[in-house]
Amino acid sequence: VSTLDASFIDWFVPGILGLSLMNSGIIGIATAFVSFREKGILRRIKVTPFPLWKFIMARIVAALVLALATSGILILLGRVVWGLTVRGNWLVIGLALVVTAMAMLAIGYAVAAIARNTETAASYANLITFPMMFLSGVFFPLGAMPGWLQPVIQLMPLKYGVDALRQPML
């Protein structure tokens, strides 16, 4: 039997990457767009020649660029400070980062669509992100969770993002 010589940090960093993508995608987008709606910014954009869908796409692209830059910084810090070893294909890791970020952005937009004000958006976003933080394998292996919690774990979108990041990195 052979195993990878993976350290704790090799296992931990993909979880932190997923957590970072979740927080920026869900909390960041939800509160920002509800704030735009409260201030009338979205309504003002609608009366300009600039289409609202282009504004939304620009926000999505900006959020993805920021997510990739933040992820790059986290990986670099992991390598320099804690000796992180990335074993997988960087293209696959990049694709996993983009897909995970897009999924979290979609949840953030869904929260923004139903929240009436910024405080409500932040509450809804925290209601979604807090369970995911602990039930997605970010801080400890999911096999350590009790059996009755396993069906709930399978519903957590971040679990699949963390798995998609962890598999190619390890």
Side-chain angles (χ1 to χ4, degrees):
V1 175
S2 65
T3 62
L4 287 175
D5 188 24
S7 67
F8 172 74
I9 203 71
D10 295 343
W11 182 87
F12 191 61
V13 166
I16 295 300
L17 287 171
L19 184 66
S20 172
L21 295 173
M22 178 190 68
N23 282 330
S24 64
I26 297 176
I27 296 172
I29 287 295
T31 55
F33 264 84
V34 172
S35 173
F36 290 162
R37 191 171 60 227
E38 283 180 331
K39 294 175 184 174
I41 293 170
L42 298 177
R43 189 175 305 120
R44 286 185 220 142
I45 290 173
K46 286 171 94 173
V47 298
T48 68
F50 187 66
L52 185 60
W53 72 268
K54 286 185 179 180
F55 175 76
I56 292 171
M57 286 302 295
R59 292 291 300 189
I60 290 170
V61 170
L64 283 174
V65 168
L66 183 63
L68 291 174
T70 304
S71 298
I73 292 168
L74 286 171
I75 291 170
L76 181 66
L77 279 173
R79 290 184 83 160
V80 171
V81 177
W82 292 286
L84 170 70
T85 304
V86 178
R87 294 166 177 82
N89 184 330
W90 285 100
L91 186 61
V92 174
I93 294 167
L95 181 63
L97 286 168
V98 169
V99 169
T100 303
M102 291 292 287
M104 298 304 141
L105 287 170
I107 296 170
Y109 278 111
V111 169
I114 61 171
R116 298 225 183 265
N117 56 46
T118 307
E119 292 82 18
T120 306
S123 297
Y124 290 166
N126 280 316
L127 186 66
I128 292 169
T129 59
F130 193 74
M132 275 200 286
M133 189 182 333
F134 295 104
L135 299 176
S136 297
V138 171
F139 299 112
F140 32 78
L142 296 175
M145 299 285 193
W148 62 268
L149 204 50
Q150 294 300 326
V152 176
I153 289 169
Q154 299 305 316
L155 297 174
M156 299 292 155
L158 182 59
K159 173 211 179 295
Y160 299 100
V162 170
D163 286 347
L165 291 166
R166 196 168 277 147
Q167 292 298 320
M169 289 182 78
L170 288 177

